[in-house]
Amino acid sequence: MRLLHTSDWHLGRAFHRVSMLDAQSAFIGHLVDTVREREVDAVVVSGDVYDRAVPPLSAVELYDDALHRLADLGVPTVMISGNHDSARRLGVGAGLLGRAGIHLRTAASRVAEPVVLTDAHGDVAFYGLPYLEPALVKAEFGVERAGHEQVLGAAMERVRADLAARAPGTRSVVLAHAFVTGGTPSDSERDITVGGVAAVPAGVFDGVDYVALGHLHGSQTLSERVRYSGSPLPYSFSEADHRKSMWLIDLDADGAVSAERIDCPVPRPLARIRGDLEDLLADPDLTVHEESWVEATLTDEVRPDDPMARLTDRFPHTLSLLFDPRRTDARPDASYAERLSGRDDHEIAEDFVTHVRGAGPDPDERAVLRAAFDAVRTDDVVREVAR
């Protein structure tokens, strides 16, 4: 059976205020063409179909167009919700869509209800594990600790139990939206940390033939059977080195996996350039980036006049301008923004405690801070889902 594994479409998202709707539409066209030309048997979409719980109408219309075009090909599609999606909204009409071959799995209670497809070698069971927010699903899975590893582990126990009850030789595919240990994040994924832990071990998914992951935006191979497709388009300059693609996966009669990367069309390459403004404007080696989307970091000791206008004269698609002045004896201290760079909310809070009273928080206080940040993040998720 031949699968096309994709995820993290983020329909409705912009890139530094530049609309990506046309690029997203081009990707959908490329996806449909690939399904037709490469004789794909099933499409799997591993979450974050939309960029937010209540997407703009233009994004909903593009999603609707994608589903109609896939259904017209007669190729089944299995799709789960991600942490950016509203599971309840995305799941509306799932029963009717299923009759057209578009199979939505957005409810935690249905993780052990596979979509079963058949080829010349027998059945392939597709299990959809939507993004499982631990605080919201711990009761469903009967776990004491509300952590990602605990709820995903309990979900996979249900999957393995269902698979064990099926005919011998049934092959299996799991779709999951999670941060799995060994994956490399970028700046454009929403934080899902709970209790100081975001990642789960890949061993949680043992026992199935292929795991189609979503959430991280870089295409990655954690093992031959566990892969991220990554997002089909870039959504931050931290993805400048990404090769945007989908995975074409072949499952043989015994469940062995072979994989091929299918490149996605990207509207413009990304470039990160760094240096003094005059050097960037004159460097002949940067000619290659003149039609790229550019993030420029200026290192001038004194901020130059009108830097954005001067940069866009040469690099008309400059979208981000940063300043990182070279240090001199007169300016020994890093800026406040620089001191915070790369630090999460919990670390910043600990630093504040240290600054105010001269000593950092003790273990009990750290636990209180962690619980407070987890509670705020969970409350944000609940509010977004309820909209």
Side-chain angles (χ1 to χ4, degrees):
M1 186 169 287
R2 174 164 285 182
L3 321 174
L4 188 63
H5 168 199
T6 178
S7 73
D8 294 274
W9 296 356
H10 289 278
L11 301 181
R13 186 165 185 162
F15 181 75
H16 286 266
R17 301 176 302 282
V18 174
S19 172
M20 296 292 275
L21 190 65
D22 287 344
Q24 290 168 340
S25 180
F27 161 69
I28 295 299
H30 171 67
L31 171 72
V32 172
D33 290 344
T34 301
V35 171
R36 182 190 304 111
E37 294 166 6
R38 299 303 298 269
E39 299 180 336
V40 170
D41 297 308
V43 176
V44 296
V45 186
S46 299
D48 281 354
V49 177
Y50 292 121
D51 188 56
R52 56 183 186 267
V54 184
L57 180 59
S58 57
V60 177
E61 290 173 339
L62 182 55
Y63 170 74
D64 182 64
D65 177 64
L67 297 193
H68 275 87
R69 295 170 73 179
L70 289 169
D72 287 345
L73 292 177
V75 175
T77 298
V78 185
M79 183 180 294
I80 62 173
S81 50
N83 62 303
H84 280 250
D85 299 309
S86 165
R88 292 172 63 188
R89 288 175 182 271
L90 190 66
V92 169
L96 288 173
L97 288 171
R99 298 179 190 177
I102 307 294
H103 304 280
L104 293 169
R105 290 293 184 267
T106 63
S109 59
R110 301 189 67 192
V111 296
E113 298 178 22
V115 177
V116 180
L117 305 178
T118 304
D119 65 7
H121 305 293
D123 290 345
V124 181
F126 291 77
Y127 296 91
L129 277 60
Y131 172 67
L132 302 173
E133 175 58 46
L136 302 184
V137 301
K138 65 176 183 177
E140 167 67 31
F141 292 110
V143 297
E144 293 183 5
R145 266 192 76 210
H148 290 291
E149 183 174 355
Q150 289 72 30
V151 297
L152 274 170
M156 282 303 301
E157 286 178 6
R158 293 188 186 183
V159 167
R160 283 186 283 265
D162 181 84
L163 186 59
R166 295 186 177 273
T170 298
R171 289 157 291 162
S172 53
V173 175
V174 165
L175 290 71
H177 195 87
F179 187 173
V180 178
T181 303
T184 302
S186 62
D187 292 343
S188 50
E189 297 115 9
R190 183 179 294 172
D191 180 33
I192 60 171
T193 301
V194 175
V197 179
V200 300
V204 164
F205 300 104
D206 286 350
V208 297
D209 293 309
Y210 183 68
V211 181
L213 293 174
H215 181 56
L216 300 185
H217 288 183
S219 179
Q220 299 170 62
T221 300
L222 304 187
S223 74
E224 283 303 304
R225 297 185 183 277
V226 182
R227 299 172 187 264
Y228 282 100
S229 69
S231 61
L233 293 165
Y235 293 113
S236 72
F237 277 102
S238 65
E239 301 169 53
D241 294 331
H242 287 188
R243 173 186 165 193
K244 296 302 183 180
S245 58
M246 305 176 285
W247 285 112
L248 191 68
I249 302 294
D250 284 312
L251 280 181
D252 72 10
D254 299 318
V257 172
S258 59
E260 176 187 350
R261 284 180 77 176
I262 305 294
D263 289 329
C264 294
V266 176
R268 293 184 187 278
L270 307 186
R272 288 176 134 173
I273 61 176
R274 179 185 179 89
D276 284 6
L277 177 59
E278 296 301 333
D279 293 338
L280 297 182
L281 296 178
D283 189 346
D285 291 339
L286 299 181
T287 301
V288 67
H289 299 314
E290 288 178 354
E291 293 304 315
S292 301
W293 277 324
V294 169
E295 177 185 80
T297 300
L298 301 186
T299 58
D300 303 73
E301 291 182 12
V302 178
R303 186 171 300 199
D305 293 333
D306 211 7
M308 192 64 160
R310 295 168 67 188
L311 277 168
T312 53
D313 281 343
R314 182 179 185 188
F315 307 102
H317 305 289
T318 301
L319 300 181
S320 176
L321 179 59
L322 306 174
F323 296 92
D324 186 19
R326 295 187 306 278
R327 293 290 155 221
T328 66
D329 291 341
R331 299 182 69 251
D333 297 325
S335 71
Y336 180 71
E338 290 168 329
R339 294 198 304 274
L340 297 186
S341 177
R343 304 180 69 76
D344 62 28
D345 290 342
H346 188 262
E347 291 171 324
I348 293 169
E350 288 196 10
D351 287 350
F352 177 75
V353 172
T354 303
H355 172 73
V356 168
R357 73 180 187 192
D362 62 29
D364 289 340
E365 291 168 331
R366 286 193 180 94
V368 170
L369 284 171
R370 181 71 67 189
F373 281 113
D374 287 350
V376 170
R377 191 187 60 79
T378 301
D379 184 61
D380 287 344
V381 172
V382 171
R383 289 174 182 273
E384 191 166 82
V385 168
R387 291 177 64 188

